[in-house]
Every structure is written in C-alpha cells, then in structure tokens.
Amino acid sequence: MKNSRLYLWLLRFIGLIVPHRLRSDWRQEWEAELQWREQQLAEWDKLDWRNKIDMLRHSAGAFLDALWLQPKRWEDEMMQDIRFGVRMLRKHKGFAFATVFTLALGISANKALFSIVKSVLFEDSDRPRDIRWRGGVTFRRGAAGLLDSGIACDAG
Amino acid sequence: MGKNYLSYTMALILQALDNGYRYGFDVMTITGLPSGTVYPALRRLEDAGYVGSKWEKQSVAVTEQRPARKYYEVTKAGTKALTEARERFRLLAQLEFPQNLDPARQQG
C-alpha cells in the first residue's frame, strides 16, 4: 500500500505550480480519482505492481493538467494588481488627482510643443515658397521649410 | 472555423460524457486516452461551456473514505457541438459506448 501512495506525493509536488486559487480543488479532483481507482483495484484484488505503476503514470498526467492552468495564474495576478491599484487610488484621492493632473499636463504640453515644432520645421506652410525681392532676386524656401542660405537666387 | 468546432479528441471525450461516463477516470478508461489529455480537454470543454462540473455528494465520499469526486455533465451547448462534430466525424457517429458498464472492472 505504501508504494501506491507515491502518486499522492507526486500530486502534492505537481500541485505547487497550480495557481493558488485553483489548487485545493485541483488536488481534490486528482486525489479523489486516484484513490477511487485504488479502492476499486483493491476490491477486485488487482492492486499488483503493474496497476500501481499504471496509477503512477496516470498521476504524472497531472503535470500537463497543471501546465494548462498556468494562464489562469497570469490572469489572477494581473487582476490582483489591477484591483490593488484601484484600491490604492480610492484610498489616496489627493495623490490620485495630483498624479492624473501631472500626467495630463505633461502629455498636453508635449503634444503642444511637438505640434509647433512640426508645423515650423517639417510641414509646408501656406506662406509663399519663394520670397521675391525687388530687383528680381528670389530666395527659395527649401524642403525643410528653411530658407536656403545664400543659394538659388534667380535674377529676373 | 465555427463557434462550435471541436477537435476529434474533444468530440470523443464529449461523446463519452454524453454516454454516461461522467468521471475523468472513467473517460480515460473508456476512450483509452491518457490523463494528460483528458483532464486538460475537460477544462477546455468546461471553459467553452460545453460541460459543467459538480462534486459528488459528500456522504458518498465519507462512506468510501476518500475525497469527493468531481463529475462532468454535458450542457445544451455541448450537445449541439457534439451533434455538429458527429456530422464531421462520421466514425464518431457510428461509435457506440457500452452503457452501464464499469470500464475499470473490464480493464482490471
């Protein structure tokens, strides 16, 4: 009987990787099935070494089951973190407001600054590309929106 | 791929459940699939809403001096999915599981 309980130790070991929330139900399910099988075999006087090894093999399948449950751990931890964050924000409303306000201010300032830089340096404006001086000298606006220094002067 | 699409293995397990083999070990024995296949498949079926799980009565477990076993039942959505699977897998439709037979005793 001692050898047949190896599967219980194996289940306890494998159960360590099962998400905490699901662990007790998971262990109960596996242990119940294997103990039921052990009792059935004992009733039929068929609890020999072959069937014990077979039970150990079945209990090893619990590892794949535990692996399949791993995504539920990540969901659990993510939801736990989100709930914690919301709880903290509700608890410290002043800090939450200051944080949100600072973030909003920073993002909007950044956006405004970049809009100005973009319109001045990178985009074509509605201003005439060329600046004509009396006497027929023309200064051309380059691709970057800047006046080309000392070049492209057309006479006439 | 439709909403009720099942793989052959999952359809086989669903059919075993539909035929009255409600416990994981019974499904393993009657289908010949290993435990590492059956139990994850049962979880997927449950997540998809095709089966529901319940624990057996505590009095039964106490009498037999073991933890309560979990059993699975096919839902209406599962029945619909199984019908569709039988149309795709013709052999599955012809497969008949023995009724009211203890598979573990046959194998033991």
Side-chain angles (χ1 to χ4, degrees):
Chain A
M1 200 63 156
K2 183 182 175 183
N3 290 337
S4 65
R5 295 282 163 158
L6 275 176
Y7 66 82
L8 285 178
W9 285 103
L10 188 59
L11 288 174
R12 277 177 204 155
F13 181 68
I14 293 171
L16 293 173
I17 69 170
V18 174
H20 191 264
R21 179 173 61 90
L22 306 170
R23 194 174 298 163
S24 69
D25 280 358
W26 180 89
R27 269 187 61 181
Q28 181 178 337
E29 184 177 3
W30 276 93
E31 285 179 7
E33 289 298 303
L34 287 164
Q35 286 186 36
W36 171 83
R37 172 67 171 165
E38 187 182 21
Q39 283 173 358
Q40 292 281 312
L41 290 169
E43 275 177 28
W44 302 328
D45 200 24
K46 290 188 187 293
L47 196 58
D48 52 14
W49 65 270
R50 281 196 188 88
N51 281 323
K52 287 178 188 175
I53 288 175
D54 199 41
M55 284 181 59
L56 200 59
R57 185 174 58 85
H58 286 313
S59 63
F63 180 67
L64 289 172
D65 191 24
L67 278 183
W68 191 86
L69 291 171
Q70 293 313 296
K72 294 189 189 293
R73 173 197 301 280
W74 304 324
E75 289 165 12
D76 281 353
E77 286 178 358
M78 187 181 74
M79 289 311 297
Q80 205 173 23
D81 288 344
I82 289 172
R83 277 199 299 267
F84 177 75
V86 169
R87 213 161 49 235
M88 287 295 108
L89 287 174
R90 276 186 188 166
K91 198 174 172 183
H92 305 288
K93 291 188 175 65
F95 173 76
F97 175 76
T99 307
V100 169
F101 180 76
T102 307
L103 279 171
L105 197 64
I107 291 169
S108 56
N110 231 344
K111 170 71 178 165
L113 196 64
F114 184 74
S115 296
I116 293 167
V117 167
K118 189 181 175 191
S119 66
V120 169
L121 291 181
F122 296 110
E123 279 182 356
D124 292 337
S125 63
D126 292 335
R127 291 175 292 169
R129 183 173 283 277
D130 300 335
I131 298 175
R132 290 187 180 275
W133 288 74
R134 287 185 183 174
V137 176
T138 304
F139 290 92
R140 288 213 177 98
R141 187 180 296 279
L146 300 171
L147 291 175
D148 290 337
S149 54
I151 340 173
C153 296
D154 291 329
Chain B
M1 196 176 288
K3 185 186 171 184
N4 293 332
Y5 181 82
L6 288 175
S7 66
Y8 183 77
T9 302
M10 288 177 70
L12 188 66
I13 291 169
L14 201 58
Q15 174 131 334
L17 292 171
D18 196 45
N19 277 264
Y21 294 95
R22 303 191 299 174
Y23 297 94
F25 220 93
D26 294 346
V27 173
M28 276 165 52
T29 311
I30 200 65
T31 59
L33 295 168
S35 56
T37 300
V38 167
Y39 280 92
L42 287 171
R43 313 260 182 251
R44 279 198 292 271
L45 288 168
E46 194 172 6
D47 281 353
Y50 295 156
V51 303
S53 65
K54 289 178 187 172
W55 295 99
E56 69 176 352
K57 287 182 183 173
Q58 194 62 30
S59 54
V60 172
V62 167
T63 306
E64 297 187 13
Q65 295 180 350
R66 56 166 173 76
R69 296 172 77 189
K70 187 186 260 191
Y71 64 92
Y72 296 85
E73 289 175 329
V74 184
T75 60
K76 283 182 186 173
T79 306
K80 192 177 171 186
L82 184 58
T83 307
E84 189 187 278
R86 282 177 179 149
E87 287 172 13
R88 278 187 289 113
F89 304 120
R90 300 295 175 88
L91 188 63
L92 195 66
Q94 295 172 19
L95 198 64
E96 285 183 12
F97 288 99
Q99 298 288 336
N100 298 322
L101 189 68
D102 189 338
R105 192 182 186 109
Q106 291 298 310
Q107 188 185 42

